[in-house]
Structures are given as C-alpha cells and as structure tokens.
Amino acid sequence: QPDLVVAYRNLHSAGWQWPYTLGDHVVVLTQVTDVPVLLLPRPGALDASRGTDCVMAVTDHLAGDARLVDAGVAFTAPKGTLFLSHVEDDAIYARYMAVIGKIPNLPTDVAETELRARMLKEPADYIASVRSALTDMDLTVEAEVQMGHHLSAYRQLVQKHQIDLLVLNTKDDEQLAMHGSAYPLAVELRDVPLLML
C-alpha cells in the first residue's frame, strides 16, 4: 500500500523512441490504482539537479479540486511557487455563443461579455480563496486563468514559467480512459515530470 508510485515513460517498452504513448504499464498504473503516479522522463532525459521550485496544477475544473491543490502544495519546494491554472476551452465557448446567437431577443454582445467573465471568475475566485488559506505556507501561489485551446495553452504556460512538475488528474469516474485533456498533455509534455492523480 504505497503512498506514491514512481515510474518513467514507456516503462518496459521499446516504444520510448516514439512520442505517441506513455507505455502500457504506465497507462494501466494510472487507471487501476488510486495511488498517485509520479511519471518521470526516460532515464537520462531528466536533469538530475532539477527540483520542484515551480509546480503547476492543471485542470479544466479547478474550483473545489482540493486533492489537486493539496498534491501541488505537498510537492512544491519551500520558497517555491505553485501555479494554479485553469484554461477554459475557447471552442466550447464559441459553440455556446453560436447557440446564444440563435436565440431571438437575447442580446448576444451582453451574453458574450457576461458568459466569458463568469466562466473565468469562478476559478479565479477559487484560486484567491486557496491563496488566502495558504498564507502560512512557505510558498507563493500564482494564478493562471485564461481561455484558449487546452493543449497549446498549457504547453505555453509550462514553457513560460519553466515548470518543474505538472500535477494533473487522470481518473474519470465515467470512463476507463484518462480524464479529459490529461492524456494528450502527458503525451505532449515529454520533458516535464508529471504527478498523475
């Protein structure tokens, strides 16, 4: 009954040379166990001196996700920075606006402004509450709340802040496959250690 499983990409697999998978063993580990999996790049691909000064928690439903925040706090080095990030999918927003635009007598410009503001306000408010709850901790909490395409937005944020560890949810109660954008992020961000909850 471990508290954490540590593995590397493409464990027991020759597929490490191809950037399209995490490897069978790793995918099964992340889905069949409730234990968090710390996924490292292949041996030799990770800078051994790298710490966890900059940790980013990633989700498309940040508000109320205490487990994700707790894990991010636990892995952030003293005096480090925990980035709490939330990206609203701009394609979904565009779809909502297209539907709203077809409703007669509903002012689309007001709906567009109000909907965007509301979608970004809830995660921003949650991050503010987390920040105030963690004032006694020896770390800095920063917010990254924006609209965009999940994969490209998170890739840019990881590069911009030189993130040492990415924390994300992989479980989905409604399916066997990884949750939401977790799998594409895990496959794409090959050089960043991932804590998969």
Side-chain angles (χ1 to χ4, degrees):
Q1 296 181 344
D3 295 321
L4 179 69
V5 173
V6 181
Y8 59 84
R9 289 171 180 271
N10 299 107
L11 180 69
H12 299 304
S13 170
W16 62 268
Q17 52 199 315
W18 311 111
Y20 308 114
T21 180
L22 303 176
D24 297 343
H25 290 80
V26 172
V27 170
V28 170
L29 268 175
T30 62
Q31 295 313 109
V32 300
T33 179
D34 290 330
V35 177
V37 175
L38 178 59
L39 184 64
L40 301 174
R42 293 279 304 173
L46 178 65
D47 177 3
S49 66
R50 187 177 194 165
T52 56
D53 293 327
C54 291
V55 174
M56 179 176 281
V58 168
T59 182
D60 52 355
H61 299 290
L62 183 59
D65 200 338
R67 183 173 186 235
L68 190 78
V69 172
D70 290 346
V73 169
F75 277 83
T76 303
K79 304 199 181 325
T81 302
L82 173 61
F83 291 91
L84 298 178
S85 60
H86 177 101
V87 174
E88 282 291 345
D89 191 313
D90 54 3
I92 292 173
Y93 172 75
R95 185 176 149 263
Y96 289 162
M97 289 312 305
V99 170
I100 289 170
K102 295 175 184 174
I103 300 172
N105 301 325
L106 184 61
T108 307
D109 56 339
V110 173
E112 182 175 4
T113 305
E114 293 295 323
L115 181 61
R116 177 185 291 266
R118 176 53 62 181
M119 291 173 81
L120 297 177
K121 182 182 185 318
E122 290 178 11
D125 288 349
Y126 179 69
I127 293 171
S129 72
V130 168
R131 183 182 286 136
S132 64
L134 296 177
T135 53
D136 294 340
M137 300 292 292
D138 191 17
L139 57 83
T140 302
V141 177
E142 295 290 341
E144 282 288 356
V145 178
Q146 60 182 265
M147 296 196 80
H149 181 268
H150 285 149
L151 192 54
S152 59
Y154 284 127
R155 190 184 306 121
Q156 289 169 3
L157 289 172
V158 165
Q159 291 172 352
K160 173 183 172 185
H161 298 296
Q162 299 180 337
I163 298 301
D164 298 313
L165 176 67
L166 205 60
V167 182
L168 55 143
N169 289 315
T170 58
K171 304 285 187 300
D172 192 323
D173 294 335
E174 297 181 10
Q175 63 187 25
L176 290 175
M178 277 192 194
H179 170 75
S181 57
Y183 189 76
L185 278 171
V187 168
E188 291 275 338
L189 299 172
R190 298 175 57 80
D191 300 326
V192 180
L194 308 172
L195 180 61
M196 307 172 87
L197 306 178

